[in-house]
């Protein structure tokens, strides 16, 4: 992984004072994302485009420097990510292109020259790149299939474009003035992230996953080159053959993601997904795998017992970093600085510390298990959808909703509370075929945060319906899919790409210059998962059934048998408890909240007092609202009053000769 940045400017404007101004803008953009690539920061001014790159050296340590140019055509690329099948593509292209390096970056140049922008259809990997073609003065951009690597852009006055791996690079250029996007914030509070291409900032857009873009003569066009297809006909193969295919796909996905010129380690949560990946990686590495985990001092969140069980059976070299409430609170400002969006959960904070811990131990690449729940029906949301679809066939039934006890054993379902349960989970039962049926409960629950908005802010957004906004981006044919297939599509397009892979993934990893790799999001694995019958992935209410069967004998039996444990981190204790940091007291004060103007200061004050009280009962709705308020305050502090970049970082950017 790396960082990229740049902008277009008038051709012929590369001399004298204009050149110096452009060079300084580019240096500042590149320096602002130095954390993504501390190994080298380079910049290049060409006629009509400025390109910057920060490098985290993973492949071809000596020869993979960027920006990289093709001498014959002038084609130039800056690239963030990895093309895992670059070895196979290089062999395929060797007769058409004279390679000078072993890097996957050069494979992008060769592939583009051979196949044009359609080359991305042949890539297996995670990427965001910008490619300048001087032959027709066109800037091409592309982003990987599921949105692992970010790519922000802004259209500028005069028909020009700026882009970067993070929004802060656009602000550092001086070409884009930071301002919070009210619609993006409202979408975040209900959907967990803005709906791409919208972001947290006015005028800043995010290239959606599986999209490429062409910018030429002042006009930007974006187009989709791939999409998840959960509407395919289910496989008719036997369960045994399905397991064989799954094993082959996963083993290949792990093998490709172990390709590196530096050691590759793994995150180990203690759940099925990371345990299985560690087992496969340990086998392929011949017993040298290093694993890293987060532990919590608070027993409610801690999974160290299970992590230790897996590490001991697999004989990995295991390390754990422990988190306390005070640690979480201290980390949150850095979390929001890197994530560049508001949040409802503190869960990314331990990941920021974990990546720091990994880096301190000399590791810069880790495998992680994200994507398995979305592909193999692992979340309670899918089981909940199955129960609610069954309930909708007889919406007046008294016993069908009680099946929810199997998912949420702590639910109070005594006779006097049955109506409360029906009210909470029964929404939308009159139309179970609606596109958003599966997510109504979650989105409505998150949407309770909107009650805390300041009146003027809320009034300015009366026409913004976040649920309608996200459903409008879904292709029409998805509505004809099976209920669980629709649910999977929505989950992948919202929580996975907008939150788990970005705010909790890329941004927490690259905040400390660590690259994450995601075998469950290999194209072949995803497409195979879509073909596996739902009854094999979700057998009754047994999630990831086929994955568990494949994992038998590869991970400890206790891991296969344990109930799914949703990953969480402390919120109230971290922000308003005895160990709460000074920044939280300052930014959660009524006058500070009123100054930003997003939330109602008095409502927020009452919420803080409620959660600060001894032995306070912490509802999920209250703690999510608290974190949304705190993270929004930090977002405004970080970006509306930005601090100057260290001049030493700016000066360290090497401006190369064109």
């Amino acid at each position: 992984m790396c960082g990229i940045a740049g902008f277009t400017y008038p051709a012929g404007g590369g001399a004298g004072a204009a050149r110096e101004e452009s060079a300084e803008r580019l240096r500042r953009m590149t320096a602002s994302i130095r954390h993504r690539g501390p190994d080298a920061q380079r910049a290049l001014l060409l006629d009509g485009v400025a390109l910057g790159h920060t490098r985290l050296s993973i492949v071809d340590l000596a020869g993979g420097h960027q920006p990289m140019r093709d001498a014959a055509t002038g084609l130039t690329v800056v690239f963030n990510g990895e093309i895992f099948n670059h070895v196979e593509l290089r062999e395929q292209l060797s007769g058409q292109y004279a390679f000078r390096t072993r890097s996957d970056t050069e494979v992008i140049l060769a592939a583009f020259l051979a196949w044009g922008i359609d080359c991305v259809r042949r890539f297996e990997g995670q990427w965001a790149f910008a490619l300048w073609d001087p032959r027709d003065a066109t800037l091409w951009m592309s982003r990987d299939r599921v949105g692992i690597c970010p790519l922000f852009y802004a259209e500028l006055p005069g028909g020009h474009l700026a882009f970067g791996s993070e929004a802060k690079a656009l602000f550092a250029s001086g070409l884009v003035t930071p301002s919070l996007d009210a619609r993006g914030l409202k979408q975040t509070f209900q959907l967990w992230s803005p709906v791409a291409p919208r972001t947290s900032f006015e005028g800043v857009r995010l290239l959606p996953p599986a999209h490429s873009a062409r910018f030429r003569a002042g006009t930007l066009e974006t187009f989709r080159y791939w999409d998840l297809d959960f509407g395919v006909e289910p496989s008719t193969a036997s369960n045994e053959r399905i397991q064989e295919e799954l094993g082959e796909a996963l083993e290949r996905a792990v093998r490709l993601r172990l390709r590196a010129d530096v050691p590759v380690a793994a995150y180990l949560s203690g759940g099925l997904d990371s345990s299985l990946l560690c087992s496969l990686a340990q086998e392929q590495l011949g017993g040298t795998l290093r694993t890293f985990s987060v532990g919590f001092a608070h027993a409610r969140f801690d999974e160290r017992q299970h992590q230790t069980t897996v590490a001991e059976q697999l004989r990995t070299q295991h390390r754990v970093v422990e988190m306390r409430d005070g640690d979480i609170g201290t980390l949150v400002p850095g979390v929001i600085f890197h994530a560049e969006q508001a949040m409802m959960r503190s869960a990314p904070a331990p990941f920021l510390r974990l990546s720091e811990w990994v880096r301190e131990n000399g590791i810069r690449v880790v495998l992680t298990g994200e994507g398995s729940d979305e592909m193999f029906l692992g979340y309670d949301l899918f089981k909940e959808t199955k129960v609610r679809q069954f309930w909708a066939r007889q919406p007046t039934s008294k016993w069908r909703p009680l099946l929810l006890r199997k998912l949420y054993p702590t639910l109070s379902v005594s006779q006097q509370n049955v109506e409360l349960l029906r009210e909470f989970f029964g929404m939308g039962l009159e139309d179970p075929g609606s596109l958003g049926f599966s997510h109504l409960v979650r989105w409505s629950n998150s949407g309770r945060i909107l009650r805390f908005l300041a009146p003027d802010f809320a009034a300015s957004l009366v026409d913004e319906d976040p649920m309608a906004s996200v459903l409008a981006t879904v292709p029409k044919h998805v509505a004809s899919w099976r209920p669980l297939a629709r649910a999977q599509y929505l989950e992948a397009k919202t929580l996975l790409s907008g939150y788990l892979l970005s705010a909790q993934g890329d941004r927490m990893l690259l905040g400390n210059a660590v690259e994450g790799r995601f075998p469950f999001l290999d194209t072949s694995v995803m497409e195979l998962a879509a073909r596996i019958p739902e009854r094999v992935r979700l057998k009754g209410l047994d999630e990831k059934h086929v994955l568990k069967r494949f994992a038998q004998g590869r991970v400890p039996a206790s891991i296969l048998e344990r109930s799914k444990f949703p990953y969480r981190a402390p919120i109230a204790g971290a922000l308003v408890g005895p160990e709460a940091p000074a920044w939280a007291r300052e930014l959660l004060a009524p006058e500070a909240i009123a100054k930003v103007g997003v939330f109602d200061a008095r409502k927020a004050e009452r919420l803080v007092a409620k959660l600060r009280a001894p032995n306070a009962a912490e509802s999920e709705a209250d703690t999510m609202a608290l974190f949304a308020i705190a993270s929004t305050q930090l977002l405004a502090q970080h970006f509306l009053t930005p601090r100057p970049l260290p001049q030493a970082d700016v000066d360290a950017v090497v401006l190369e000769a064109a």
Side-chain angles (χ1 to χ4, degrees):
M1 294 288 214
C2 304
I4 64 174
F7 55 91
T8 66
Y9 59 94
R19 176 181 173 81
E20 287 302 314
E21 181 181 14
S22 294
E24 180 63 16
R25 289 188 192 280
L26 184 57
R27 284 194 187 98
R28 297 184 68 80
M29 293 180 79
T30 307
S32 72
I33 53 174
R34 182 181 184 276
H35 51 271
R36 297 183 68 90
D39 296 334
Q41 300 85 47
R42 301 190 178 199
L44 179 64
L45 290 179
L46 299 172
D47 190 25
V49 70
L51 301 171
H53 184 261
T54 68
R55 189 179 187 205
L56 177 60
S57 302
I58 304 293
V59 175
D60 192 1
L61 308 188
H65 293 291
Q66 299 181 44
M68 185 175 287
R69 302 180 74 189
D70 172 60
T73 62
L75 201 69
T76 307
V77 67
V78 283
F79 162 51
N80 165 35
E82 303 285 349
I83 306 301
F84 297 120
N85 63 336
H86 69 97
V87 174
E88 292 77 8
L89 289 171
R90 179 185 301 274
E91 292 176 357
Q92 189 175 352
L93 292 162
S94 59
Q96 307 173 52
Y97 188 88
F99 287 96
R100 298 172 291 110
T101 74
R102 295 187 301 104
S103 71
D104 51 347
T105 306
E106 193 174 18
V107 169
I108 294 176
L109 289 175
F112 184 87
L113 287 169
W115 303 307
I117 195 61
D118 278 348
C119 65
V120 298
R121 300 175 186 271
R122 304 175 186 239
F123 293 168
E124 180 54 56
Q126 49 198 60
W127 69 83
F129 67 74
L131 189 151
W132 174 251
D133 190 342
R135 296 171 298 181
D136 58 2
T138 300
L139 181 71
W140 295 92
M141 300 186 296
S142 183
R143 193 169 176 221
D144 65 72
R145 291 176 177 84
V146 290
I148 295 169
C149 297
L151 185 54
F152 295 86
Y153 65 89
E155 296 186 71
L156 306 174
H160 292 286
L161 187 82
F163 65 88
S165 292
E166 298 182 13
K168 59 179 65 68
L170 305 181
F171 305 146
S173 73
L175 297 168
V176 181
T177 301
S179 176
L180 297 183
D181 186 306
R183 293 180 183 275
L185 288 176
K186 186 174 182 181
Q187 290 173 2
T188 301
F189 299 146
Q190 188 150 27
L191 308 174
W192 292 60
S193 70
V195 180
R198 190 174 293 278
T199 71
S200 302
F201 303 103
E202 286 279 0
V204 176
R205 293 293 177 257
L206 179 67
L207 188 66
H211 277 66
S212 295
R214 176 176 58 198
F215 184 75
R216 183 182 181 188
T219 300
L220 178 70
E221 299 174 83
T222 64
F223 48 92
R224 184 192 301 275
Y225 62 83
W226 182 86
D227 202 5
L228 288 162
D229 187 359
F230 294 112
V232 295
E233 284 297 316
S235 170
T236 57
S238 67
N239 289 351
E240 290 71 22
R241 179 53 190 154
I242 287 174
Q243 280 189 221
E244 289 176 6
E245 291 181 21
L246 177 58
E248 292 165 1
L250 281 175
E251 287 169 2
R252 176 182 178 274
V254 170
R255 183 168 60 254
L256 286 179
R257 284 157 183 79
L258 291 175
R259 284 180 171 172
D261 294 335
V262 297
V264 179
Y267 281 174
L268 176 57
S269 71
L272 170 64
D273 307 327
S274 65
S275 300
L276 178 55
L277 291 185
C278 287
S279 174
L280 296 174
Q282 180 72 313
E283 181 179 349
Q284 294 188 27
L285 290 172
T288 62
L289 181 67
R290 300 177 67 181
T291 52
F292 295 86
S293 298
V294 170
F296 290 93
H298 198 310
R300 173 185 168 194
F301 305 99
D302 194 53
E303 294 186 80
R304 273 177 288 190
Q305 173 189 343
H306 303 289
Q307 295 161 0
T308 299
T309 297
V310 176
E312 289 180 348
Q313 175 165 314
L314 299 182
R315 299 177 182 242
T316 68
Q317 302 171 49
H318 191 58
R319 299 287 184 274
V320 181
V321 61
E322 183 180 85
M323 303 297 299
R324 298 181 178 276
D325 284 6
D327 299 326
I328 301 289
T330 300
L331 285 164
V332 170
V335 167
I336 303 305
F337 174 77
H338 288 298
E340 300 180 329
Q341 69 182 57
M343 298 183 189
M344 276 73 70
R345 290 251 170 90
S346 61
F351 282 114
L352 184 61
R353 176 66 183 102
L354 183 58
S355 67
E356 181 182 39
W357 175 243
V358 165
R359 187 75 188 195
E360 289 170 355
N361 278 269
I363 295 294
R364 56 179 65 187
V365 183
V366 292
L367 301 180
T368 88
E370 274 80 11
S372 173
D373 285 309
E374 289 79 6
M375 300 304 138
F376 293 94
L377 298 173
Y379 288 132
D380 283 345
L381 177 139
F382 299 126
K383 292 183 278 187
E384 182 184 295
T385 298
K386 193 171 184 178
V387 170
R388 292 177 66 240
Q389 286 282 340
F390 178 62
W391 179 8
R393 295 175 202 163
Q394 293 185 16
T396 60
S397 170
K398 294 182 179 180
W399 68 267
R400 291 193 177 200
L402 300 186
L403 290 170
L404 291 163
R405 282 184 298 182
K406 293 181 178 293
L407 311 185
Y408 311 112
T410 59
L411 280 177
S412 175
V413 288
S414 58
Q415 186 61 43
Q416 60 267 37
N417 287 327
V418 166
E419 285 307 313
L420 188 62
L421 181 147
R422 294 174 64 87
E423 180 181 349
F424 187 78
F425 287 100
M427 61 184 65
L429 290 184
E430 70 283 355
D431 186 15
S434 66
L435 181 59
F437 177 81
S438 58
H439 283 64
L440 284 178
V441 174
R442 177 197 288 170
W443 289 344
S444 297
N445 192 36
S446 300
R448 296 170 69 185
I449 293 167
L450 303 179
R451 298 176 302 165
F452 290 90
L453 293 179
D456 289 347
F457 185 84
S460 70
L461 295 169
V462 290
D463 64 335
E464 171 59 39
D465 181 347
M467 290 189 282
S469 295
V470 71
L471 294 176
T473 68
V474 177
K476 291 182 179 180
H477 64 268
V478 173
S480 65
W481 290 358
R482 301 176 303 276
L484 286 179
R486 297 196 301 265
Q488 280 186 274
Y489 190 90
L490 283 177
E491 191 70 354
K493 293 297 183 181
T494 55
L495 195 72
L496 178 64
S497 64
Y499 175 74
L500 293 177
L501 294 177
S502 55
Q504 191 168 292
D506 171 89
R507 316 310 281 278
M508 298 305 103
L509 287 156
L510 271 297
N512 289 301
V514 174
E515 174 177 288
R517 297 181 173 183
F518 310 87
F520 285 112
L521 295 174
D522 179 276
T523 309
S524 296
V525 173
M526 291 190 291
E527 292 178 348
L528 172 61
R531 295 195 306 272
I532 296 176
E534 290 172 357
R535 58 177 171 74
V536 180
R537 287 178 286 154
L538 180 59
K539 186 175 182 180
L541 295 179
D542 180 27
E543 77 280 357
K544 294 187 286 195
H545 179 74
V546 66
L547 204 61
K548 290 177 181 176
R549 290 191 61 187
F550 172 70
Q552 288 176 356
R554 293 178 170 87
V555 303
S558 61
I559 301 300
L560 299 176
E561 295 164 1
R562 67 177 295 215
S563 299
K564 185 170 176 59
F565 188 87
Y567 168 68
R568 298 283 190 275
I571 294 179
L575 298 184
V576 298
E579 299 179 47
W583 72 261
R585 293 192 295 273
E586 176 186 338
L587 293 186
L588 290 174
E591 56 273 18
I593 291 173
K595 182 179 179 180
V596 172
V598 174
F599 288 98
D600 185 291
R602 295 305 165 199
K603 289 182 178 179
E605 184 179 30
R606 290 195 292 270
L607 177 64
V608 169
K610 176 182 177 181
L611 293 174
R612 187 176 282 156
N615 302 316
E618 297 181 13
S619 72
E620 183 176 36
D622 284 346
T623 56
M624 287 174 66
L626 176 66
F627 205 81
I629 295 167
S631 60
T632 302
Q633 292 292 104
L634 283 166
L635 194 67
Q637 182 187 63
H638 283 318
F639 297 103
L640 302 190
T641 55
R643 300 183 182 91
L645 287 166
Q647 191 59 42
D649 289 353
V650 178
D651 293 340
V653 178
V654 176
L655 186 64
E656 298 184 334

